[in-house]
Amino acid sequence: TVEEVGSTGVGALTISFLIFIVSCIVFLSKANTSGEQRKYYYLSSYACGFAAMAYFAMLSGQGWTVIAGCRQFFYSHFAERLITSTLILILMGNLAGAGPDLMFGACGSNAIYMIATYMGSVSVVTTVKWFWFFIGLVGLFATLVHLALSFKNAVDVKGGERAQLYSKGAWLLILAWMCYPIVWLFSEGFASFSVSFEVCAYAVLDIISTVVLGFMIMSGHDYLGGSAPSQSREYV
């Protein structure tokens, strides 16, 4: 018998899908009425949009397979996270004013983490599974170093409220992303968590690292480049 997501997990998928859809619309609407800040809202809207697609697929019973231990595994969630986490890193890189080299490095290490974690999830041989998990942790560590140090050094040059906003968003993201391997460890790793609990835990982390972060950055709209153009036009 395959262990599948229960009613609690389905409820979490439904609520999360609605949250992502509404957030996507809000960010897209904000982007269409903004100036220089538009790029932040477009990235947030696409991240929420891809997340909504993945959650709709999971809610519809699609995008999953059976892994070792006869456990339901939603590979659509890993595909979504590979895309959304990359968009989030580009968002944070733009907020910090980091160069393309730093953003490519962060996205590359994040891709290593996501792909290695997926391979570990579908591995049948236990030794291979934990080897992939270790590779994934190395990729995640490199990604978090970019957020905590490389991007932080770039934004500290600018200073001011932008630097404060970045620090708040980066630490929220770092704490949320550090929880993902813990959930994996007790889900695909040891199979201690039920599929429903795993779905609920991932849903909470996804909302924090995508929706909450997006609205946090939106709170800094006034000093992300929108006010300067209007002031210059007033004095000309």
Side-chain angles (χ1 to χ4, degrees):
T1 304
V2 178
E3 181 189 358
E4 298 185 26
V5 62
S7 57
T8 303
V10 171
L13 290 174
T14 304
I15 294 173
S16 300
F17 168 70
L18 295 175
I19 291 175
F20 283 122
I21 280 290
V22 172
S23 300
C24 177
I25 295 173
V26 171
F27 289 133
L28 194 58
S29 175
K30 188 70 173 176
N32 291 329
T33 59
S34 301
E36 188 180 339
Q37 311 96 325
R38 169 174 312 185
K39 56 187 177 183
Y40 305 109
Y41 306 138
Y42 274 142
L43 288 166
S44 293
S45 64
Y46 275 112
C48 289
F50 279 114
M53 291 171 60
Y55 273 81
F56 178 73
M58 292 187 285
L59 190 58
S60 303
Q62 299 174 308
W64 68 274
T65 187
V66 179
I67 58 175
C70 292
R71 181 185 181 91
Q72 186 179 29
F73 169 69
F74 288 103
Y75 59 81
S76 56
H77 179 250
F78 278 76
E80 168 262 317
R81 281 199 57 222
L82 176 60
I83 298 173
T84 56
S85 57
T86 300
L87 292 173
I88 291 168
L89 285 170
I90 296 173
L91 170 65
M92 296 301 290
N94 275 281
L95 178 63
D101 53 338
L102 291 179
M103 286 193 277
F104 288 152
C107 293
S109 59
N110 176 68
I112 291 174
Y113 163 61
M114 292 305 309
I115 295 173
T117 305
Y118 168 79
M119 294 302 298
S121 300
V122 298
S123 296
V124 178
V125 180
T126 304
T127 305
V128 175
K129 172 190 289 187
W130 293 114
F131 185 74
W132 279 119
F133 179 66
F134 174 75
I135 295 175
L137 288 181
V138 173
L140 176 62
F141 177 76
T143 304
L144 298 183
V145 167
H146 276 83
L147 287 170
L149 295 178
S150 302
F151 287 3
K152 183 68 166 58
N153 291 336
V155 77
D156 282 344
V157 175
K158 300 178 181 297
E161 294 175 313
R162 179 186 288 262
Q164 295 177 10
L165 178 63
Y166 174 83
S167 296
K168 293 177 183 178
W171 283 111
L172 175 71
L173 199 57
I174 289 171
L175 293 175
W177 282 7
M178 286 175 63
C179 293
Y180 279 102
I182 298 175
V183 176
W184 187 95
L185 190 65
F186 292 101
S187 299
E188 284 77 21
F190 298 124
S192 300
F193 291 164
S194 66
V195 175
S196 287
F197 185 87
E198 175 191 0
V199 167
C200 292
Y202 279 140
V204 171
L205 294 175
D206 288 347
I207 291 172
I208 291 174
S209 58
T210 307
V211 177
V212 176
L213 177 68
F215 280 106
M216 182 180 292
I217 293 176
M218 184 185 290
S219 68
H221 177 88
D222 291 338
Y223 49 85
L224 287 179
S227 58
S230 61
Q231 287 178 350
S232 62
R233 284 193 297 266
E234 287 179 7
Y235 289 100
V236 170

